[in-house]
Amino acid sequence: MALKVLSALDTAKTQYYHFKAIIIAGMGLFTDAYDLFCIPPIMKLIGRVYYSDSGNGYQVPAVVTSTMVGIALLGTVIGQLVFGRLGDLIGRRRVYGAVLSLMIFSSVGCGFSIGTCRTCVLLSLGLFRFSLGIGIGGDYPLSATIMSEFANKRTRGAFIAAVFSMQGFGILVSSTVTMVVCAIFNSASGHPKKPKPEVVDLAWRLILMIGAIPAGLTCYWRIMMPETARYTALVEKNVVQATKDMQKVLHVSMSQIAEDEEYTSPMPPPATATASSSNYPLFSTEFFERHGRDLFSCSIAWFLVDVVFYCTNLFQSQIYKRYLPHKGSDEKLNAYEEAFQFAKLQAIIAICSTIPGYFATVYFIDRIGRVKIQMMGFFFMAMGLFAIGIPYYSYWDDNPNAGFMVLYGVTLFFSNFGPNTTTFIVPAELFPARFRSTCHGISGAAGKVGAIIGAVGFVWASHNDKDDGHSKGIGMTASLILLGAVSLVGCVTTYVFTRETMGRSLEDNESIEDLTTTISDDGWWCFAPKLCANDEVAADA
């Protein structure tokens, strides 16, 4: 017999608290995107301040840029593993406020990077970015898990996708803040050819610190957020408290959630058909028999998409060189103007492709399913990368080519209307409550390992010649074709391994696990995209 409180969560109407939870949970993803996308223009400002004597056109060396990106991603890997596990051991709510506090502290710390000499500034900035990465990494599994456990089964995918879509707004706000700050500083300085280094130094610090404000505004609500009813009932085994917590946030009648008399005291919930009542430990033989395939499918898909996603976003630095305006043949943009133009192009791409991709996922995720969207996204990413990669150098024969930007925008659109979003959703739906946050953290950590490989590797691989402090690589054409091939591998692995979770309760998703080890009548293994495409099939099983 299923618990009434869980059934009520699955059937609850969409209410105000659902939208409030999207904003509260989404602020971590917002901060993640803000931090990632403000770094390219900030590195331009840092180059003007600390590399004026490098003889390399104020260019920050590739090793420094790669380190600033990679160290934050390394922190993210650690944060996902550590806080993901803590979310299952001591509760989502208890860890959630601590994660946000770490993110706020680190964002402010990035702006207050110690000293004025180049070595001190870069070392302290790297340290605070590592700390920020840990906080962001911890936010991933907690935000996804909390939203999945609060949502009803009919619109659960849309709610989790909406949380993840806050990344798009983080990109847009990051670009907007950079443009506003640079425009104000440039105007106040009288549009100088060479702004004062100490003033430019203040500008990039201010941009970084502003990123802490949105996260700080939600700190109170995170602390006040009750524990999810699913965690309280299924992990802490306190059904009474789960009922009380649910009443605090959702408008449901007591008759819908109050259990029968024999279940009104804190005790283990009644036996159900789910794996939640089993006591097998994490990483035991039984765990891998039940969940090993799902953990592999989530991890490999996230790994592959992040290799491609972070490469394509870092690829924007190559585009900027082609599209940045120049005042004249001998007159270059000053520090503020160059950072402004970088941010402007980021904002245009976000508005035209990134944010629409997130919105498309929110609209279609509970209509056509996770597996189809993920496969479609991987496939069209591959086609887009092949289309811009094979004839790459011919796009720049004369003037910057508008067709190139359209194809690049399409690639980013389908990464977000596709695996970049679905890989965040699926791990929050497949695993039992007592392993949900941990397994999401493992999947996300695998993704960020892919991001490190993509981010650091792409900086080297994309260069044909040794220039601007870069060593010789395989070139843009080969790099983009390789990324397209990685996307095709993601499409195939999704088809073979990923199970559909659309329209099912979280507890039903757990019970499907036994079907993945059975053999169908025709002798083939029962792969979930076909077997469990809808509730009727699972009900018959």
Side-chain angles (χ1 to χ4, degrees):
M1 184 175 75
L3 292 173
K4 288 184 178 180
V5 67
L6 303 185
S7 299
L9 280 169
D10 284 334
T11 59
K13 295 181 180 179
T14 300
Q15 301 176 25
Y16 164 75
Y17 191 79
H18 288 126
F19 296 102
K20 182 179 178 181
I22 289 172
I23 301 300
I24 296 172
M27 274 303 107
L29 283 304
F30 179 99
T31 304
D32 174 27
Y34 184 102
D35 172 71
L36 174 66
F37 282 84
C38 73
I39 283 298
I42 279 176
M43 295 309 290
K44 289 296 178 182
L45 295 175
I46 289 176
R48 295 297 184 107
V49 177
Y50 298 105
Y51 289 90
S52 59
D53 59 348
S54 65
N56 198 26
Y58 306 110
Q59 182 76 26
V60 178
V63 65
V64 175
T65 303
S66 298
T67 300
M68 287 300 164
V69 174
I71 198 168
L73 293 174
L74 178 61
T76 303
V77 171
I78 296 171
Q80 286 175 320
L81 294 174
V82 173
F83 287 110
R85 186 60 185 142
L86 289 176
D88 285 333
L89 292 177
I90 65 177
R92 290 75 158 114
R93 175 183 175 275
R94 293 182 178 92
V95 182
Y96 213 29
V99 165
L100 190 67
S101 299
L102 179 59
M103 292 166 62
I104 295 169
F105 167 78
S106 301
S107 294
V108 175
C110 286
F112 281 110
S113 295
I114 302 167
T116 56
C117 71
R118 181 166 68 194
T119 302
C120 289
V121 168
L122 294 178
L123 283 176
S124 57
L125 178 60
L127 176 63
F128 283 116
R129 281 183 59 76
F130 176 74
S131 175
L132 179 62
I134 293 176
I136 289 171
D139 192 83
Y140 268 72
L142 294 170
S143 292
T145 298
I146 286 172
M147 196 68 247
S148 71
E149 292 180 347
F150 271 124
N152 61 60
K153 64 181 180 181
R154 183 176 58 85
T155 59
R156 183 179 61 240
F159 286 150
I160 305 175
V163 169
F164 197 69
S165 72
M166 294 298 288
Q167 276 196 338
F169 293 102
I171 296 170
L172 183 59
V173 171
S174 170
S175 303
T176 303
V177 168
T178 301
M179 287 190 290
V180 170
V181 170
C182 288
I184 291 174
F185 274 68
N186 195 34
S187 178
S189 302
H191 303 273
K193 291 182 180 180
K194 292 185 177 181
K196 295 179 180 180
E198 61 270 20
V199 182
V200 177
D201 193 53
L202 177 61
W204 69 261
R205 293 172 184 271
L206 181 61
I207 293 168
L208 284 172
M209 287 189 287
I210 289 175
I213 295 175
L217 293 176
T218 60
C219 193
Y220 171 78
W221 286 278
R222 281 207 180 189
I223 294 173
M224 297 305 295
M225 176 182 284
E227 185 58 84
T228 68
R230 280 190 161 91
Y231 182 85
T232 304
L234 297 176
V235 181
E236 295 183 338
K237 304 186 187 305
N238 190 337
V239 180
V240 174
Q241 186 61 47
T243 302
K244 293 178 180 178
D245 288 343
M246 185 175 177
Q247 279 191 303
K248 293 178 182 178
V249 295
L250 297 178
H251 297 291
V252 293
S253 64
M254 193 64 185
S255 61
Q256 288 182 274
I257 58 178
E259 304 297 333
D260 296 331
E261 183 68 24
E262 60 266 31
Y263 305 124
T264 56
S265 59
M267 60 178 294
T272 68
T274 75
S276 296
S277 57
S278 301
N279 292 318
Y280 55 91
L282 181 68
F283 299 146
S284 63
T285 301
E286 186 174 357
F287 171 86
F288 284 111
E289 288 176 350
R290 292 176 178 270
H291 308 294
R293 172 184 159 177
D294 289 334
L295 187 58
F296 172 78
S297 70
C298 294
S299 299
I300 192 65
W302 208 330
F303 174 86
L304 294 172
V305 71
D306 270 9
V307 169
V308 180
F309 181 75
Y310 280 81
C311 283
T312 52
N313 279 288
L314 288 173
F315 176 52
Q316 290 181 19
S317 63
Q318 301 291 324
I319 300 173
Y320 295 150
K321 296 178 182 179
R322 315 285 183 173
Y323 285 88
L324 281 177
H326 294 277
K327 292 182 176 180
S329 58
D330 298 324
E331 188 178 357
K332 295 182 178 180
L333 301 174
N334 68 28
Y336 302 123
E337 291 165 342
E338 186 177 17
F340 181 95
Q341 294 299 332
F342 267 60
K344 178 182 174 181
L345 281 173
Q346 281 186 167
I348 292 172
I349 292 172
I351 293 172
C352 295
S353 62
T354 304
I355 293 177
Y358 287 124
F359 283 172
T361 304
V362 171
Y363 184 79
F364 287 107
I365 190 71
D366 290 311
R367 289 172 167 82
I368 63 179
R370 288 73 161 143
V371 172
K372 291 179 180 178
I373 289 178
Q374 187 163 303
M375 289 177 59
M376 175 192 67
F378 268 128
F379 177 79
F380 283 107
M381 286 169 64
M383 296 302 102
L385 289 164
F386 290 148
I388 64 178
I390 295 173
Y392 175 76
Y393 293 103
S394 65
Y395 284 114
W396 316 115
D397 287 342
D398 297 312
N399 296 317
N401 193 300
F404 176 89
M405 286 301 293
V406 171
L407 290 171
Y408 179 70
V410 168
T411 303
L412 281 182
F413 174 84
F414 280 104
S415 67
N416 294 304
F417 181 34
N420 189 44
T421 305
T422 55
T423 51
F424 181 79
I425 296 171
V426 175
E429 299 180 310
L430 277 176
F431 302 99
R434 62 197 181 95
F435 300 139
R436 188 168 292 136
S437 179
T438 300
C439 291
H440 194 286
I442 293 170
S443 303
K448 289 302 175 283
V449 170
I452 293 172
I453 293 172
V456 176
F458 185 78
V459 172
W460 165 79
S462 60
H463 286 78
N464 271 333
D465 302 309
K466 186 175 182 180
D467 64 343
D468 294 337
H470 298 86
S471 58
K472 185 177 180 180
I474 61 177
M476 286 301 309
T477 295
S479 298
L480 293 171
I481 292 174
L482 181 61
L483 293 179
V486 171
S487 298
L488 289 180
V489 172
C491 185
V492 173
T493 56
T494 297
Y495 177 77
V496 173
F497 295 107
T498 304
R499 294 200 283 117
E500 184 57 73
T501 57
M502 179 179 64
R504 304 182 58 85
S505 72
L506 295 179
E507 288 67 44
D508 285 341
N509 285 333
E510 297 172 36
S511 66
I512 303 176
E513 65 201 17
D514 295 326
L515 297 176
T516 62
T517 57
T518 62
I519 299 180
S520 60
D521 294 337
D522 59 5
W524 294 93
W525 290 97
C526 298
F527 290 120
K530 299 89 170 172
L531 179 62
C532 303
N534 52 53
D535 287 342
E536 288 75 21
V537 174
D540 292 340

